[in-house]
Amino acid sequence: MRFFSVKNAILAVCCLALIGCGDSDSNSIESKQNTYYTQLVEIMPVVISLESAKLKGDENKAKEAQSKLQTLNIDEKISQDATAILQRAGQNGYSIILPDELAQDIESYTIMATLPRGVYNLGLIPNAKHFEFALSPSLNDNGSEWNWEADALSRKQDEFIALLGKDKDSKIVFYDSGEYGLSPMGSAVVGIMWAKKLGYNNIYYLVGGFNAWKDLKLPISTEAPHCCQM
């Protein structure tokens, strides 16, 4: 799976991600836990503003965003991770979505959980379907890319397509725990890359994954949709 650095693609992701983000303070949840994942979600709108301003060459807006980053008093490592997540999405042609955004319009999305089955059974984002992927992509024996059997842990590709649906323009969100979002890659991104290869166009990565969703005290279900019941 090759990653391409495309300035316009990154800018497009910034623009899409800014829609509905609003001010992070107005979207705060009183009972949320202050964790790495909630801080990643909190800082992301500011990082989006900063990266968008840089790409447009808008020095004033870039300075404003940089100043706001400093006032948030969030660890530099989290800021760097947020930037890396945003840039990777832009380079590979998918979008990012914050947990609050998804929760507010959850019926508009097909939601795919790429976590291990045992973790999924313990709790899921309501109506999330399940298809586990490896944490990082594998090469074929001949060194070529796109090793479905290894990436999908031997499940059939037809099953994956059936869960995604026939509409290649439907909005689909992928999430994993959020723990392996950058190292090695994370199962959600592996799933996203396969969905993109299969022709699905409106793909989203959930920032912070299920850990952020839980820490923000958003609704969790223990009832899998009919398609994914054991």
Side-chain angles (χ1 to χ4, degrees), residues 189-208:
V189 175
V190 176
I192 284 171
M193 299 308 292
W194 274 105
K196 292 283 296 179
K197 181 174 175 59
L198 292 168
Y200 291 88
N201 301 309
N202 292 321
I203 307 297
Y204 296 79
Y205 172 80
L206 181 65
V207 175

Side-chain angles (χ1 to χ4, degrees), residues 20-217:
C21 285
D23 186 278
S24 60
D25 292 338
S26 65
N27 290 330
S28 64
I29 298 175
E30 291 183 4
S31 59
K32 76 177 184 180
Q33 299 179 42
N34 189 30
T35 66
Y36 166 86
Y37 303 101
T38 60
Q39 291 181 75
L40 182 67
V41 170
E42 181 181 5
I43 203 172
M44 184 60 82
V46 187
V47 169
I48 290 169
S49 295
L50 176 60
E51 292 302 305
S52 178
K54 286 180 178 179
L55 290 171
K56 292 177 180 177
D58 191 331
E59 294 184 5
N60 289 332
K61 286 193 177 296
K63 288 179 180 178
E64 289 177 9
Q66 191 66 54
S67 177
K68 187 165 186 179
L69 275 179
Q70 294 173 354
T71 62
L72 288 176
N73 196 29
I74 291 177
D75 189 276
E76 177 66 19
K77 173 65 165 58
I78 299 177
S79 176
Q80 292 172 354
D81 287 353
T83 301
I85 288 169
L86 179 65
Q87 291 179 343
R88 184 174 62 186
Q91 291 164 3
N92 292 282
Y94 61 87
S95 302
I96 62 170
I97 188 168
L98 302 180
D100 286 347
E101 292 179 272
L102 177 59
Q104 290 167 12
D105 194 24
I106 198 166
E107 298 298 328
S108 297
Y109 296 87
T110 296
I111 305 173
M112 298 295 300
T114 59
L115 299 154
R117 181 79 206 197
V119 178
Y120 171 80
N121 288 343
L122 293 174
L124 54 131
I125 294 175
N127 297 319
K129 301 176 181 180
H130 179 259
F131 197 101
E132 184 180 355
F133 279 94
L135 292 176
S136 60
S138 298
L139 297 177
N140 293 295
D141 291 340
N142 62 4
S144 62
E145 299 173 330
W146 303 108
N147 184 337
W148 171 263
E149 184 173 357
D151 291 353
L153 307 178
S154 299
R155 284 189 67 178
K156 295 180 180 179
Q157 192 172 106
D158 287 348
E159 295 178 30
F160 182 54
I161 294 172
L163 292 175
L164 297 181
K166 295 180 180 180
D167 184 358
K168 296 295 180 72
D169 292 319
S170 63
K171 296 190 290 187
I172 306 172
V173 176
F174 283 78
Y175 78 87
D176 50 26
S177 68
E179 185 177 356
Y180 303 103
L182 293 170
S183 179
M185 177 186 286
S187 60
V189 175
V190 176
I192 284 171
M193 299 308 292
W194 274 105
K196 292 283 296 179
K197 181 174 175 59
L198 292 168
Y200 291 88
N201 301 309
N202 292 321
I203 307 297
Y204 296 79
Y205 172 80
L206 181 65
V207 175
F210 193 56
N211 285 339
W213 187 273
K214 289 188 298 182
D215 292 348
L216 289 167
K217 307 300 183 184

